[in-house]
Amino acid sequence: MTDFFNENLTSLHKKLVDKEISATELTKEALNKSKSSQSEINAFITIDDEGALKRAAEIDAVGIDPDNILSGIPFAIKDNIVTKGLKTTAASHILDNFVPVYDATVIEKLNELGIVTIGKTNMDEFAMGGSTETSYFGKTANAWDHTKVPGGSSGGSASSVASGVIPVALGSDTGGSIRQPAAFNGIVGLKPTYGRVSRWGLIAFGSSLDQIGPLTRTVEDNARVLAAISGKDQRDTTTEDQSVPDFTKGIKKGVKDLRIGVPKEYFAKGIDEGVKDVVKKAIAKYESSGAKVDEVSLPHSKYGIAAYYILASSEASSNLERFDGIRYGFSARQDGQTLEDLYVRTRSEGFGDEVKRRIMLGTFALSAGFYDAYFKKAAQVRTLIVNDFAKVFENHDIILGPTTTSPAFDLGSENDDPVKMYMNDLLTIPLNLAGLPGMSINAGFTDGLPVGLQIIGKRFDESTIYKTAYAFEQDSQLFTKHPGVNF
Amino acid sequence: MSESLPREDAAHVAKLAKLHFNDQQLNLFTGQLANILDLVETLNEVDTDGVKPTYTVSDNINVLREDVAVKSNQKNELLANAPETQDGQIKVPAIIDEES
């Protein structure tokens, strides 16, 4: 029996190449772990026994590619990334019967490298939420404490990796949806630079903010998956023509003389003291390793949430117009109804409350008479946030701070208060607005729950993020700690 | 900007968004949206005079590609997702009233 807590991509690849284990055997183990974890953590919406075993058999038939580390590796995919022939719901009733006719670009790329998709992970409906509680398919539990939220919206991806049921998962991040669940589950989650990874086949939420990225147990694994999914794509015109480096190259260079900026706003009042302590200790570790640490300011970051909820909701209200009960998905059909009635019934019954709130907010912000006051104003504040970061990066290589304002909170504790729920994204949202890459790694624990260290880089400089993360990971050896439940 | 969101405005927005709420839901949503808008009002503290808005961080302006026709021929798969079909077409409710 393979223990994913003691493995990484390099060790799994070696076992596959040495024929210690076949892709089919590894797939069966990942399927079994995923299934037996469902009653405890409910990380999956769909587990694809048949498809995964068929795929693994194909890979075994041609043999593991010794030059390709992802050959035969089991993956979990967030359920807003379309997979040909495999149900993709975005955790919504309105898509609960939707079977895509094509693969997202990231899936195409990974399939070419020989991954095996085990299943599709649970998430907040249409990725709108920070706790995976708005899913139509029930709540997911935190890997470390099953009474706590796993974070969101990529909660299923984060909890399944942290629970050792899968080595790697993909998520998406519009306002923190990879980094926050990675922080809450003590794993490594990266939101790439906007334009690094194709969004083609990602069910759109906020198109100027969305990015797909990897959730893994180790920094090196994360770097390998990012390299596999990155690159210009003709089908997503916002992808940039940037070379895709080997992100593991230079990862061991260390942090001596690295110029680290620590924003004072990221340690403001209201942020959990336990979180601050753990993150401060991690930053002190960098200083003792020879990095140059100084305090910086991101004066407009506190306006990030307000700007984000206008911009992201406006984009969402447009993107979600396409769900109308005509061509695919749930359709509230009745005899003798009008077309208008079909639209309204389908959307009213098909969307959950959080999605409706954001559609309403976005429609309002874009409506006649309010556009300048809300949408344009928010876009102007976005410029100031972009400029804040640019100024800090004039003389710093990297920015460090907490990923979240608190550790994982109790399931059900914030459902009735949208504003309180939105405040959780305070420290992650500014990066999405600025299109910057950011990562969360485990910095330690407070009251038995993981705390995320957020590592923010310059545009297209994920390499420095990986180098920075690797130094702390190797020094702290925190990746050897795990929730202890073996599924 | 509005101090809070009047219920009539919320009803109008719901109509634009093609969503229906019953009275109780509309009251709840109006209150919650008003709270969110209070949060958004903090943007008024920021002086944005003359600041250019950012709608995307992408530097791309015109992105061109070869104009190559691709035959995808996925009619059956696409129709399989449709809620109602007839004679190889997607069926929708009547759009034009018979009497008009």
Side-chain angles (χ1 to χ4, degrees):
Chain A
M1 186 77 163
T2 311
D3 180 354
F4 291 144
F5 289 130
N6 291 324
E7 303 287 345
N8 54 40
L9 288 175
T10 308
S11 67
L12 285 172
H13 180 61
K14 185 167 188 307
K15 284 184 175 173
L16 286 163
V17 170
D18 293 349
K19 296 194 171 18
E20 256 181 68
I21 192 167
S22 67
T24 300
E25 286 161 348
L26 190 60
T27 297
K28 278 184 183 164
E29 289 190 10
L31 284 168
N32 287 339
K33 285 174 197 278
S34 298
K35 280 186 275 188
S36 65
S37 73
Q38 274 300 81
S39 62
E40 286 285 321
I41 59 172
N42 191 41
F44 290 88
I45 291 173
T46 305
I47 296 175
D48 185 24
D49 265 295
E50 201 186 321
L53 288 170
K54 186 168 167 262
R55 180 91 183 111
E58 286 166 10
I59 290 161
D60 281 330
V62 291
I64 296 292
D65 175 0
D67 298 322
N68 164 17
I69 198 159
L70 296 183
S71 179
I73 299 292
F75 266 63
I77 308 292
K78 188 178 182 180
D79 209 22
N80 60 348
I81 299 171
V82 301
T83 43
K84 188 176 181 176
L86 180 58
K87 193 177 75 166
T88 301
T89 69
S92 181
H93 180 31
I94 213 161
L95 282 174
D96 64 5
N97 58 1
F98 175 59
V99 181
V101 301
Y102 69 98
D103 278 320
T105 297
V106 293
I107 301 297
E108 253 180 26
K109 283 174 176 274
L110 291 172
N111 280 344
E112 270 169 38
L113 295 170
I115 71 147
V116 177
T117 297
I118 297 299
K120 305 296 294 286
T121 56
N122 202 12
M123 52 183 280
D124 285 292
E125 185 181 0
F126 283 103
M128 297 175 188
S131 66
T132 311
E133 292 172 296
T134 69
S135 169
Y136 181 66
F137 300 93
K139 296 170 181 179
T140 293
N142 187 288
W144 294 80
D145 180 341
H146 296 175
T147 69
K148 305 281 184 190
V149 299
S153 64
S154 311
S157 289
S159 186
S160 59
V161 170
S163 299
V165 306
I166 198 91
V168 193
L170 289 188
S172 68
D173 191 317
T174 306
S177 283
I178 289 173
R179 290 159 288 152
Q180 185 252 26
F184 280 6
N185 288 281
I187 59 167
V188 184
L190 178 93
K191 181 204 93 75
T193 308
Y194 185 81
R196 173 67 89 184
V197 177
S198 171
R199 293 178 294 107
W200 200 75
L202 173 66
I203 295 175
F205 163 12
S207 302
S208 81
L209 306 156
D210 298 339
Q211 273 290 289
I212 296 170
L215 294 107
T216 57
R217 289 189 49 260
T218 71
V219 173
E220 195 172 333
D221 284 359
N222 203 285
R224 293 192 188 279
V225 178
L226 180 67
I229 60 174
S230 293
K232 183 158 178 64
D233 180 10
Q234 282 199 337
R235 294 170 297 195
D236 173 2
T237 54
T238 61
T239 51
E240 305 268 347
D241 203 0
Q242 291 273 336
S243 65
V244 179
D246 174 355
F247 295 108
T248 62
K249 204 179 165 202
I251 204 170
K252 295 174 184 169
K253 276 185 185 160
V255 293
K256 195 173 178 307
D257 297 329
L258 188 74
R259 299 171 303 167
I260 296 174
V262 178
K264 61 178 183 202
E265 292 81 4
Y266 276 48
F267 294 86
K269 218 177 121 201
I271 294 163
D272 183 88
E273 292 301 324
V275 167
K276 282 192 229 176
D277 282 350
V278 170
V279 171
K280 278 179 185 165
K281 277 181 195 149
I283 294 171
K285 197 84 215 168
Y286 281 100
E287 207 161 10
S288 65
S289 303
K292 291 175 185 159
V293 179
D294 63 335
E295 189 182 272
V296 297
S297 178
L298 298 169
H300 297 95
S301 60
K302 66 175 170 180
Y303 299 107
I305 291 182
Y308 171 86
Y309 275 94
I310 290 298
L311 297 170
S313 301
S314 297
E315 293 184 22
S317 75
S318 304
N319 277 325
L320 271 59
E321 277 172 10
R322 72 192 67 173
F323 300 104
D324 57 6
I326 301 293
R327 292 153 299 155
Y328 50 81
F330 167 72
S331 183
R333 295 199 172 218
Q334 286 186 327
D335 282 342
Q337 73 187 149
T338 62
L339 188 64
E340 176 79 7
D341 185 53
L342 173 60
Y343 290 154
V344 174
R345 268 177 196 275
T346 297
R347 293 167 62 81
S348 301
E349 292 172 29
F351 291 134
D353 282 352
E354 183 57 28
V355 174
K356 286 179 188 167
R357 257 192 297 278
R358 301 213 194 179
I359 291 174
M360 289 282 286
L361 179 62
T363 306
F364 172 71
L366 294 174
S367 64
F370 296 105
Y371 179 89
D372 277 2
Y374 289 102
F375 190 72
K376 190 179 167 202
K377 179 82 182 179
Q380 288 174 311
V381 172
R382 184 177 186 179
T383 303
L384 298 175
I385 290 170
V386 171
N387 294 347
D388 279 357
F389 280 111
K391 200 168 165 223
V392 172
F393 280 127
E394 275 172 17
N395 43 24
H396 293 86
D397 305 308
I398 209 92
I399 295 173
L400 295 182
T403 310
T404 60
T405 55
S406 73
F409 45 91
D410 290 339
L411 281 161
S413 63
E414 295 186 7
N415 289 346
D416 302 326
D417 189 349
V419 169
K420 195 175 176 204
M421 187 69 96
Y422 295 174
M423 294 307 284
N424 291 316
D425 306 331
L426 178 72
L427 307 176
T428 47
I429 275 175
L431 282 71
N432 298 80
L433 292 172
L436 298 171
M439 175 184 269
S440 184
I441 60 168
N442 191 9
F445 294 83
T446 179
D447 292 334
L449 292 168
V451 172
L453 171 69
Q454 191 170 201
I455 306 173
I456 306 165
K458 297 175 188 172
R459 285 191 78 196
F460 294 103
D461 190 17
E462 285 87 352
S463 291
T464 302
I465 293 180
Y466 282 119
K467 182 180 81 170
T468 307
Y470 186 82
F472 183 80
E473 177 197 56
Q474 293 305 306
D475 194 64
S476 68
Q477 291 288 308
L478 280 168
F479 63 90
T480 60
K481 293 201 174 181
H482 54 77
V485 189
N486 270 305
F487 289 108
Chain B
M1 291 188 197
S2 63
E3 281 167 18
S4 66
L5 186 72
R7 202 169 174 279
E8 306 81 71
D9 279 359
H12 173 65
V13 172
K15 198 162 182 271
L16 292 175
K18 302 224 184 292
L19 291 170
H20 172 76
F21 298 99
N22 64 31
D23 280 353
Q24 199 194 343
Q25 288 170 327
L26 193 62
N27 284 337
L28 180 71
F29 266 71
T30 305
Q32 288 177 336
L33 285 171
N35 289 342
I36 296 168
L37 289 174
D38 284 346
L39 167 74
V40 170
E41 304 285 312
T42 60
L43 294 179
N44 287 332
E45 298 167 14
V46 188
D47 180 5
T48 52
D49 267 2
V51 176
K52 225 178 113 200
T54 298
Y55 298 113
T56 175
V57 296
S58 173
D59 304 323
N60 297 335
I61 299 172
N62 285 325
V63 182
L64 304 175
R65 60 169 170 77
E66 292 300 310
D67 185 15
V68 186
V70 182
K71 218 173 195 168
S72 55
N73 194 18
Q74 292 180 302
K75 186 176 172 184
N76 291 337
E77 290 95 322
L78 287 165
L79 283 175
N81 268 310
E84 218 177 335
T85 60
Q86 189 183 318
D87 307 327
Q89 316 256 359
I90 292 170
K91 199 172 172 185
V92 297
I95 295 169
I96 301 165
D97 204 311
E98 277 175 32
E99 284 156 37
S100 58

